[in-house]
Amino acid sequence: MNPNVIFLNSFLDVSEETFEKLTSISTFRKLEKGYQIDKPGEVPDKIYMLISGMIRAYLSSEKGKEYNKNFFMPFSFVGSLTALIKKQPSKLTYETLTECKVYELSFEEVTRLCAEDIHISNLYSKVLERVFIKYEERQLEFISMDATERYLKLRKKISGIDDLIPQYHIASYLSITPVQLSRIRKKIDKN
């Protein structure tokens, strides 16, 4: 079975007809490492289904410091959802950390199809539910886990993360310094 259908079925059973409708409004793209799909100050109009590679979402301070909000692995939907829904400029940058393969979809077309097709509307609702659940889980991690526990959970979630993502990106995601992360890693390796 097509892995893209399997991914969509993880939200809701998707018929071939529904899959074909979504395919008709999507464009397959290969993105180079370092490509920014959404940038602060720009109003986005696309959402992406990531099928290979890794993307990060981050916020830049006025002084240029970057704060990683999220890492996206295959298979996931990627895009500045708040900016898309509100039709306002994104506050985050979405950037490829590796070469990526994605399906690009017009958010306007997706919402149009939602209005016309209950199956696509239900799928959209399930995707939004998953986004909310992941957001809440991340918030709970910050209030209930220390940095070591958050790092171990991230390593479990993203196999081989230390080889995939620079240490300073991981540290930023965990809201610690690279030095703190280095100490945590040494302590874990010792045990």
Side-chain angles (χ1 to χ4, degrees):
M1 183 180 260
N2 182 326
N4 301 323
V5 175
I6 293 170
F7 168 63
L8 292 176
N9 281 333
S10 73
F11 295 96
L12 185 75
D13 284 337
V14 175
S15 70
E16 195 169 309
E17 179 185 349
T18 299
F19 182 72
E20 289 301 320
K21 283 183 181 180
L22 291 170
T23 302
S24 73
I25 64 164
S26 68
T27 304
F28 176 79
R29 293 188 58 195
K30 288 183 183 178
L31 307 176
E32 298 289 321
K33 177 181 177 179
Y35 183 82
Q36 295 180 346
I37 60 174
D38 284 338
K39 299 173 189 170
E42 294 181 4
V43 179
D45 61 354
K46 306 275 192 261
I47 192 158
Y48 301 83
M49 188 172 93
L50 177 64
I51 58 171
S52 76
M54 182 179 271
I55 296 175
R56 72 178 175 133
Y58 68 93
L59 176 70
S60 291
S61 72
E62 289 180 11
K63 294 181 180 179
K65 184 170 178 170
E66 296 176 356
Y67 299 92
N68 286 306
K69 178 186 176 275
N70 206 349
F71 296 119
F72 299 91
M73 303 288 292
F75 284 82
S76 57
F77 285 103
V78 181
S80 189
L81 194 56
T82 299
L84 285 164
I85 292 169
K86 291 183 164 188
K87 297 181 181 170
Q88 294 178 344
S90 178
K91 293 181 180 174
L92 299 169
T93 301
Y94 288 75
E95 177 184 60
T96 59
L97 290 171
T98 63
E99 182 181 280
C100 294
K101 293 178 182 173
V102 299
Y103 282 99
E104 179 182 83
L105 296 101
S106 160
F107 189 70
E108 187 177 313
E109 286 294 304
V110 170
T111 55
R112 181 187 60 76
L113 282 177
C114 285
E116 296 173 3
D117 186 318
I118 189 67
H119 302 291
I120 292 176
S121 181
N122 288 341
L123 176 63
Y124 178 73
S125 293
K126 291 295 181 184
V127 168
L128 289 179
E129 286 174 8
R130 178 95 42 95
V131 168
F132 177 78
I133 289 166
K134 286 185 177 193
Y135 173 78
E136 187 175 73
E137 286 172 352
R138 177 116 164 92
Q139 297 304 311
L140 290 172
E141 285 174 17
F142 274 102
I143 61 175
S144 66
M145 298 174 143
D146 64 28
T148 301
E149 292 169 321
R150 291 194 311 269
Y151 173 63
L152 289 170
K153 184 170 182 173
L154 184 62
R155 276 187 20 178
K156 205 181 262 188
K157 179 181 165 187
I158 304 174
S159 180
I161 188 169
D162 296 312
D163 298 324
L164 294 171
I165 303 174
Q167 182 170 322
Y168 67 95
H169 283 323
I170 298 169
S172 170
Y173 178 79
L174 298 170
S175 292
I176 60 176
T177 67
V179 172
Q180 289 171 299
L181 178 58
S182 182
R183 289 184 189 135
I184 289 169
R185 289 168 68 179
K186 283 180 187 173
K187 186 178 177 183
I188 290 169
D189 291 342
K190 222 180 216 184
N191 294 336

